[in-house]
Amino acid sequence: MAVPRPYYERSQRMLRLGRREFGQHEPVIMAIVNRTPDSFYDQGATFRDEPALARVEQAVAEGAAIIDIGGVKAGPGEEVSAEEEARRTVGFVAEVRRRFPDVVISVDTWRASVGAAVCEAGADLLNDAWGGVDPGLAEVAARYGVGLVCTHAGESEPRTRPHRVSYDDVMADILRVTLELAERAVSLGVPRESVLIDPGHDFGKNTRHSLEATRRLGEMVSSGWPVLVSLSNKDFVGETLDKPVKERVVGTLATTAVSAWLGAQVYRVHEVAETRQVLDMVASIAGHRPPAVARRGLA
């Protein structure tokens, strides 16, 4: 297999989300804000409004351009109705919109009804992590003129874990699904420059699948669609290094650096400041960002 060329040798289209435009060589951080009492990473630290708003303020200060708000944890757990999901997210979206008018607000949901409600409240992007399980979500994105993340989830039902899933070629399946979802979204009226594709690490995949998806990420980038990766502290990192959730930061950042070199543009993360340093370093190595300070050998 040919080694994919590094991202700076490829041509990608402009990404436009909300009031923001991002150039082809501009890495973008999407900070996670969970509005759930049982999230796998922080066990509900941002379930209440004030800690959640403090998290948004900190993430923006550390360099996040997108805030991704979720009202239902990805894994199995207590059932959360659409009404409860909306209660957790809609008012919060409106308040973030009021306090941070220029930040891009994303909502992690698979439900069209919730998508419509958060768009009314000011959301700019719908992050559909479950691969179009509700086809109406793309229609909502088109109706409101907002962006859409098209994710490969291996046809999994929301909030289920993969069991003995197999693919003849995992990247071929990722490309087939995400490109079909992206083209459908555009055909419905979602702005082409506001559609992203996501390989869906861990979603409908075992650890070897997620590692291969990372290794072959350049194939997604070569499609021309902006690529979003959600790597932060995930199980594939934990299994690869045999580390519990709270000890996966180093593995996450290593995977982030590889993904940046291969051309991913948007990074959904918990650790914003650390991710910013990794992305800046990769951009500087690639020649798209000057060093913040350059005194060595010059004084």
Side-chain angles (χ1 to χ4, degrees):
M1 180 187 303
V3 177
R5 293 176 296 162
Y7 76 95
Y8 59 85
E9 296 181 14
R10 297 199 194 92
S11 175
Q12 298 174 9
R13 59 176 62 109
M14 174 72 69
L15 174 63
R16 182 176 292 111
L17 299 170
R19 300 182 180 184
R20 302 286 300 274
E21 289 188 352
F22 305 97
Q24 67 182 62
H25 298 311
E26 184 176 358
V28 182
I29 294 178
M30 170 189 274
I32 300 166
V33 179
N34 291 312
R35 303 288 288 145
T36 61
D38 53 356
S39 55
F40 91 99
Y41 184 70
D42 60 24
Q43 291 80 51
T46 53
F47 184 48
R48 294 185 299 108
D49 287 350
E50 287 310 311
L53 288 166
R55 160 68 175 164
V56 173
E57 184 173 8
Q58 178 185 10
V60 171
E62 291 177 346
I66 306 172
I67 301 297
D68 190 50
I69 299 163
V72 185
K73 79 168 188 176
E78 181 179 347
E79 181 179 354
V80 180
S81 67
E83 292 75 19
E84 174 61 17
E85 183 184 0
R87 188 190 69 79
R88 295 176 179 183
T89 56
V90 174
F92 188 71
V93 167
E95 183 62 15
V96 173
R97 178 82 295 148
R98 185 184 73 81
R99 296 194 188 194
F100 303 91
D102 295 325
V103 77
V104 177
I105 299 177
S106 169
V107 175
D108 180 354
T109 185
W110 74 87
R111 292 165 164 151
S113 62
V114 175
V118 296
C119 286
E120 287 285 350
D124 304 300
L125 177 65
L126 297 176
N127 182 11
D128 181 8
W130 290 102
V133 68
D134 183 348
L137 191 63
E139 297 168 8
V140 168
R143 184 161 73 247
Y144 286 91
V146 303
L148 182 69
V149 180
C150 299
T151 306
H152 179 274
E155 300 182 348
S156 300
E157 288 295 315
R159 307 191 68 194
T160 61
R161 298 194 188 281
H163 179 69
R164 299 191 182 281
V165 63
S166 63
Y167 300 94
D168 291 334
D169 182 329
V170 66
M171 182 50 73
D173 203 70
I174 289 170
L175 286 168
R176 177 184 63 81
V177 170
T178 58
L179 298 186
E180 285 178 1
L181 290 171
E183 291 294 350
R184 176 178 181 266
V186 172
S187 74
L188 291 170
V190 180
R192 182 174 289 272
E193 64 274 16
S194 302
V195 175
L196 303 99
I197 59 175
D198 177 353
H201 289 80
D202 277 358
F203 281 56
K205 299 170 189 68
N206 61 33
T207 289
R208 287 183 174 85
H209 294 143
S210 292
L211 290 171
E212 183 171 352
T214 306
R215 186 164 58 249
R216 298 173 61 186
L217 199 65
E219 295 176 44
M220 295 188 75
V221 175
S222 293
S223 72
W225 296 96
V227 175
L228 179 151
V229 287
S230 183
L231 312 167
S232 195
N233 302 293
K234 283 196 167 179
D235 285 347
F236 83 97
V237 175
E239 288 194 355
T240 299
L241 301 177
D242 193 17
K243 295 293 184 182
V245 170
K246 293 298 184 179
E247 297 178 24
R248 298 175 184 176
V249 175
V250 173
T252 296
L253 295 176
T255 313
T256 297
V258 170
S259 300
W261 187 257
L262 293 177
Q265 185 165 14
V266 180
Y267 301 80
R268 184 177 181 271
V269 305
H270 297 98
E271 289 83 17
V272 175
E274 294 87 343
T275 302
R276 182 79 269 163
Q277 289 187 46
V278 169
L279 297 178
D280 285 350
M281 194 70 196
V282 173
S284 295
I285 293 168
H288 293 297
R289 174 187 177 275
V293 178
R295 293 188 293 261
R296 182 174 174 81
L298 300 176

